[in-house]
Amino acid sequence: MTFRAPLTNHHADDTLCPADHKHTSSAKPLHPDCPGRAYTQAICSCGGWSMKQSIKVYVNESRRRHLATHTKD
């Protein structure tokens, strides 16, 4: 079975930050209607792993490490 853990960006009010809302590496918005990315979240389809952090790169690295554990079965 192939598991997925897509990254999603969220505003401080917990609303989804659309993909067309681009940000600087420090999460400052480049889109005029965006209040800024407050956190990035990834939830694995296995149901046993999720992560929510303000640092997108950290979430992505952890997500990749977790997904790699599924191939070791």
Side-chain angles (χ1 to χ4, degrees):
M1 175 176 212
T2 302
F3 292 99
R4 298 188 64 231
L7 291 174
T8 55
N9 295 315
H10 300 265
H11 301 132
D13 64 359
D14 293 325
T15 58
L16 187 64
C17 187
D20 66 333
H21 285 194
K22 301 300 180 190
H23 305 89
T24 64
S25 59
S26 62
K28 292 182 178 148
L30 295 173
H31 189 279
D33 297 329
C34 185
R37 181 179 68 228
Y39 63 91
T40 298
Q41 185 174 30
I43 301 171
C44 186
S45 59
C46 74
W49 182 89
S50 67
M51 176 173 269
K52 175 180 169 180
Q53 289 285 329
S54 61
I55 302 171
K56 183 178 181 177
V57 173
Y58 181 66
V59 176
N60 196 32
E61 288 175 4
S62 297
R63 176 186 74 89
R64 288 179 183 183
R65 277 194 300 272
H66 170 74
L67 290 172
T69 66
H70 289 302
T71 61
K72 296 177 182 175
D73 294 330

